[in-house]
Amino acid sequence: QVQVVQSGGGLVQPGGSLSVYCAASGSILSIDTMGWYRQAPGKQRELVAVITSGGSHDYADSVKGRFTIDRGSAANTVALLMKSLKPEDTALYYCNVRGIYGGRYSNFDAWGQGTQVTVSS
């Protein structure tokens, strides 16, 4: 099994900054992608940012120029650094890790538990 644990987030006023962090563990042979999704009340889950297997950093149009996704210094970690936050960024943020599981040499698609980000005055 692959476990994905998140931390960070919280409450901030509009224009402020927050970060969310993610660490994957388990019998991971390799990672193809690491990314962040979010789901706001009444909306479907949407992709926010992702690091692809080719190393590119892709972002949703709504967060370009404000959010940065980066691999952490530790293995199998990723962070989403959010600045100039807007109320519409309020959502439950989920870390997603995809790769190859070493235990069975099969693909995995693992999710974190979710971290609340609230932007409100």
Side-chain angles (χ1 to χ4, degrees):
Q1 293 182 327
V2 175
Q3 294 79 43
V4 179
V5 178
Q6 301 176 212
S7 62
L11 174 66
V12 70
Q13 292 184 337
S17 300
L18 283 173
S19 296
V20 288
Y21 306 91
C22 176
S25 62
S27 185
I28 299 172
L29 183 63
S30 64
I31 290 177
D32 293 328
T33 65
M34 302 188 76
W36 291 92
Y37 291 72
R38 68 185 181 187
Q39 187 168 21
K43 296 184 178 180
Q44 295 190 9
R45 188 172 300 185
E46 64 175 348
L47 178 66
V48 178
V50 62
I51 301 175
T52 70
S53 59
S56 65
H57 295 190
D58 297 333
Y59 300 90
D61 288 340
S62 60
V63 306
K64 286 181 179 178
R66 299 188 299 117
F67 290 12
T68 301
I69 184 170
D70 278 311
R71 291 287 303 272
S73 58
N76 303 327
T77 61
V78 65
L80 183 67
L81 313 177
M82 302 173 285
K83 64 179 181 181
S84 301
L85 282 160
K86 305 174 181 179
E88 49 263 45
D89 295 317
T90 296
L92 194 63
Y93 284 69
Y94 294 92
C95 179
N96 175 243
V97 183
R98 302 178 182 182
I100 300 177
Y101 176 57
R104 296 181 295 172
Y105 300 97
S106 60
N107 294 328
F108 71 86
D109 184 352
W111 293 85
Q113 78 278 18
T115 301
Q116 182 66 42
V117 171
T118 301
V119 185
S120 177
S121 59

